[in-house]
Amino acid sequence: QVQLEQSGAEVRKPGASVNISCKTSGFGFSDHYMHWVRQAPGQGLEWMGLIHPKSGDTNTAQKFQGRVTMTRATSVNTIYMEMSSLTSDDTAMYFCARDFYGDYSAAFAIWGHGTMVAVSS
Amino acid sequence: SYVLTQPPSVSVAPGQTATITCGGNNLGTQSVHWYQQKPGQAPLLVVFDDSARPSGIPERFSGSNSGHTATLTVSRVEVGDEADYYCHVWDSSSDHQVFGTGTRVTVL
């Protein structure tokens, strides 16, 4: 079945970087946009950016440009999100999500379980 | 940047109808999607492209979109519908995805 398996929780100190993975299965890896969404404790959903696994093209939300890098490894059907210069404001649950039908405007039909990142000195 | 505004909370009695709004400039010209999120869980898509339902989502969930407001309607509300609900669009002008501010639905 369609699955998005995310890497485990991370704890980092301020100023450090974190790299989260999202392994996909059950669908054509090259057929859908993959998105990253985060949610700070008690807060709403915040879109971070997307990657198209076939081309590697990315689109990063303005807020995260220069600090977030999204990549993919087609050999293992996995996408990655690296965030640098972490602050306590980056403490959040990070989700990967797959679009519904391979279009920019499509809904996010499938979600990973989330990866908790805690930033604390 | 494009802003989607939702009421922070909606309260409804079991069996009644919950109406959740999402406001944005000329929202009716865009495709709106809706998600349900329960505590400790990932969001779940309940309505896409304004009014379509994914497989497995009850008919009690319906959506509409016109003018500057999209609406998610949950009919015959059940205790299990208690959750946070978010609207979502792709803003073509910025080429960015945008989520609404979220609405907590409480079943009294």
Side-chain angles (χ1 to χ4, degrees):
Chain A
Q1 70 276 30
V2 177
Q3 281 191 330
L4 303 178
E5 188 65 32
Q6 296 188 227
S7 49
E10 304 274 9
V11 179
R12 293 288 185 272
K13 293 189 182 302
S17 298
V18 70
N19 196 330
I20 301 168
S21 66
C22 171
K23 182 172 177 57
T24 74
S25 60
F27 65 93
F29 184 62
S30 298
D31 296 340
H32 295 268
Y33 288 98
M34 295 295 298
H35 300 261
W36 290 97
V37 176
R38 80 174 184 180
Q39 186 172 38
Q43 302 301 307
L45 302 174
E46 181 175 31
W47 181 74
M48 300 180 68
L50 65 81
I51 184 168
H52 197 288
K54 183 175 183 178
S55 63
D57 289 344
T58 61
N59 181 4
T60 307
Q62 193 164 6
K63 175 179 180 177
F64 300 106
Q65 289 176 7
R67 207 161 67 90
V68 165
T69 302
M70 291 170 287
T71 57
R72 91 292 193 209
T74 55
S75 61
V76 290
N77 293 345
T78 300
I79 62 169
Y80 305 88
M81 191 280 295
E82 181 176 24
M83 177 179 285
S84 61
S85 303
L86 292 168
T87 73
S88 58
D89 290 341
D90 296 315
T91 294
M93 184 70 80
Y94 290 76
F95 296 99
C96 60
R98 193 208 82 177
D99 75 19
F100 206 146
Y101 45 73
D103 186 86
Y104 242 57
S105 66
F108 300 170
I110 309 296
W111 293 70
H113 52 78
T115 297
M116 185 66 205
V117 175
V119 183
S120 174
S121 54
Chain B
S1 60
Y2 195 73
V3 176
L4 293 175
T5 302
Q6 299 181 233
S9 62
V10 167
S11 298
V12 59
Q16 299 304 303
T17 298
T19 302
I20 305 160
T21 59
C22 174
N25 190 39
N26 292 324
L27 188 57
T29 63
Q30 305 182 66
S31 291
V32 179
H33 320 300
W34 290 92
Y35 304 88
Q36 175 194 72
Q37 187 182 31
K38 297 181 179 179
Q41 297 184 15
L44 172 70
L45 180 67
V46 293
V47 166
F48 67 98
D49 292 351
D50 296 339
S51 59
R53 273 178 293 105
S55 173
I57 300 301
E59 292 182 7
R60 301 185 297 104
F61 290 83
S62 62
S64 63
N65 183 20
S66 179
H68 302 290
T69 304
T71 302
L72 174 70
T73 302
V74 186
S75 304
R76 301 181 299 284
V77 165
E78 302 175 356
V79 172
D81 298 330
E82 191 163 275
D84 294 327
Y85 291 82
Y86 296 90
C87 56
H88 158 221
V89 299
W90 168 58
D91 174 30
S92 58
S93 62
S94 65
D95 202 18
H96 286 180
Q97 310 283 338
V98 179
F99 285 100
T101 50
T103 298
R104 175 153 297 177
V105 171
T106 301
V107 181
L108 302 170

